[in-house]
Amino acid sequence: MIELEGLTKRYGEKVAVNNLTFAVRPGIVTGFLGPNGAGKSTTMRMVLGLDHPTAGDVRIDGQHYDHLRDPLTYIGALLDAKAMHGGRSAFHHLLCLAQSNGIPKARVHEVLDTVGLTPVANKKAKGFSLGMGQRLGIAGALLGDPRILMFDEPVNGLDPEGIHWIRNLMKSLAAQGRTVFVSSHLMSEMALTADHLVVIGQGRLLADTSMADFIQQNSRSYVRIRSPQRERLLDVLHGAGITVVETGSGMLEVDGGKPEHIGELAAQHQIVLHELSPQQASLEEAFMQLTAESVEYHAHADTPHTPTPRPAPQWGGDWKRG
Ligand code: ADP
Ligand code: MG
């Protein structure tokens, strides 16, 4: 278990982490979600004692990282920094880590096997692809067979096969009863991996909820309608007491409406429909709305609370700095 209490980090004027209080529990994957610059990496560095809190506290099974005996056997971590480039082979990198932490050599072979790097164990790590480097980092995190694992944006830059592998690994580690804490700036990624969700924006806690509750509370379902007789249709729908949202593109949207009901009303009044389709708002949209005010730099000024899903390119925009 990782417990944060009022955890705060300032860099000069900048409050990178602002009074975070939450717990990361064993047996599930906890997703740590927030746009770039939200404070995820800073929080994770403080968990490992690599950065000192300005205020508040973070404990691992009740203790500060610095006070853990053989810390690698308590908590293993893959941090954001893609630092793993040396003249050493994958095997020697892990062996050094093992030897300086009192971990037997046999364990090096085990973790190389787990991450699928056995065939390249004697190759120099500096020639590794990003995906292989991530696997080596994960092997290092697993080395001490820790009960707690922390991964900072582990799927960044990986190919689909690597992403699939990491997802399954995290789920199986949690299924073994371990605490798994993984950060991402992508809701789509968290939706597929996490059982629990901690969302932050500009260092502040925005949500601490089960994934299922988040989905239930944030999945807006609506019916999208397009008709050449738009004004008549609006009159009919309003007459039937149905609230309609008019979107900029000439579409009409009815929150929580049934397409059958709307289609039959239109037929009764001989109104032609060009589209009548049930829609589900994406979790991305819910995440963006939750964090909208806390995003440091917007890709472009979008009208707030537009009912239509925002275009995907925003995700590849400024949020992906760094
Ligand atoms: P995330 O990992 O969620 O993208 P970070 O924890 O890396 O966010 O950064 C949070 C904020 O703190 C950002 O505004 C970043 O610029 C700032 N920050 C992080 N590290 C430092 C540092 N060493 N010095 C000054 N500012 C920093
Ligand atoms: Mg980060």
Side-chain angles (χ1 to χ4, degrees), residues 3-19:
E3 288 164 291
L4 289 74
E5 219 186 295
L7 195 69
T8 300
K9 180 71 189 182
R10 287 174 183 274
Y11 295 108
E13 290 287 282
K14 173 89 199 171
V15 187
V17 174
N18 196 344
N19 197 23

Side-chain angles (χ1 to χ4, degrees), residues 159-204:
D159 57 12
E161 195 267 335
I163 292 173
H164 184 72
W165 175 77
I166 287 188
R167 262 184 217 145
N168 285 339
L169 176 74
M170 289 189 293
K171 285 183 189 169
S172 70
L173 290 166
Q176 291 162 6
R178 297 177 212 258
T179 301
V180 181
F181 189 38
V182 54
S183 76
S184 177
H185 62 281
L186 296 174
M187 183 70 210
S188 53
E189 184 49 40
M190 291 289 95
L192 291 168
T193 321
D195 306 294
H196 195 88
L197 207 53
V198 172
V199 185
I200 64 168
Q202 287 201 349
R204 272 183 237 267

Side-chain angles (χ1 to χ4, degrees), residues 96-320:
C96 289
L97 207 54
Q99 282 173 342
S100 53
N101 284 276
I103 295 163
K105 186 176 171 182
R107 181 69 188 152
V108 172
H109 294 290
E110 273 175 34
V111 294
L112 278 168
D113 210 40
T114 305
V115 303
L117 287 182
T118 302
V120 293
N122 293 318
K123 292 227 160 77
K124 290 210 166 78
K126 67 179 172 190
F128 279 11
S129 67
L130 182 59
M132 286 157 81
Q134 293 286 78
R135 282 173 194 252
L136 182 55
I138 289 170
L142 297 173
L143 201 58
D145 197 18
R147 301 300 299 161
I148 304 175
L149 287 141
M150 197 165 74
F151 303 114
D152 194 5
E153 306 257 5
V155 306
N156 258 8
L158 293 192
D159 57 12
E161 195 267 335
I163 292 173
H164 184 72
W165 175 77
I166 287 188
R167 262 184 217 145
N168 285 339
L169 176 74
M170 289 189 293
K171 285 183 189 169
S172 70
L173 290 166
Q176 291 162 6
R178 297 177 212 258
T179 301
V180 181
F181 189 38
V182 54
S183 76
S184 177
H185 62 281
L186 296 174
M187 183 70 210
S188 53
E189 184 49 40
M190 291 289 95
L192 291 168
T193 321
D195 306 294
H196 195 88
L197 207 53
V198 172
V199 185
I200 64 168
Q202 287 201 349
R204 272 183 237 267
L205 188 70
L206 298 176
D208 179 1
T209 170
S210 75
M211 193 69 221
D213 282 353
F214 187 88
I215 290 172
Q216 211 223 331
Q217 283 164 19
N218 291 289
S219 310
R220 185 174 77 101
S221 63
Y222 60 99
V223 179
R224 192 163 72 190
I225 315 154
R226 201 156 47 90
S227 166
Q229 294 159 278
R230 194 161 171 274
E231 295 308 317
R232 271 201 69 207
L233 179 63
L234 272 171
D235 287 344
V236 166
L237 292 173
H238 286 153
I242 294 169
T243 308
V244 186
V245 178
E246 299 180 55
T247 72
S249 49
M251 296 278 188
L252 304 178
E253 292 179 3
V254 174
D255 257 325
K258 286 209 183 326
E260 300 88 330
H261 184 205
I262 295 164
E264 280 158 25
L265 268 175
Q268 278 164 24
H269 293 84
Q270 302 195 325
I271 296 172
V272 173
L273 297 183
H274 286 171
E275 180 174 350
L276 179 67
S277 57
Q279 303 280 328
Q280 193 83 34
S282 71
L283 288 177
E284 250 88 9
E285 197 188 346
F287 170 50
M288 298 240 245
Q289 279 179 11
L290 186 63
T291 56
E293 278 157 29
S294 70
V295 176
E296 285 182 307
Y297 309 101
H298 286 278
H300 54 83
D302 210 341
T303 326
H305 310 297
T306 13
T308 41
R310 291 160 196 227
Q314 261 202 332
W315 286 89
D318 291 354
W319 286 31
K320 272 196 172 166

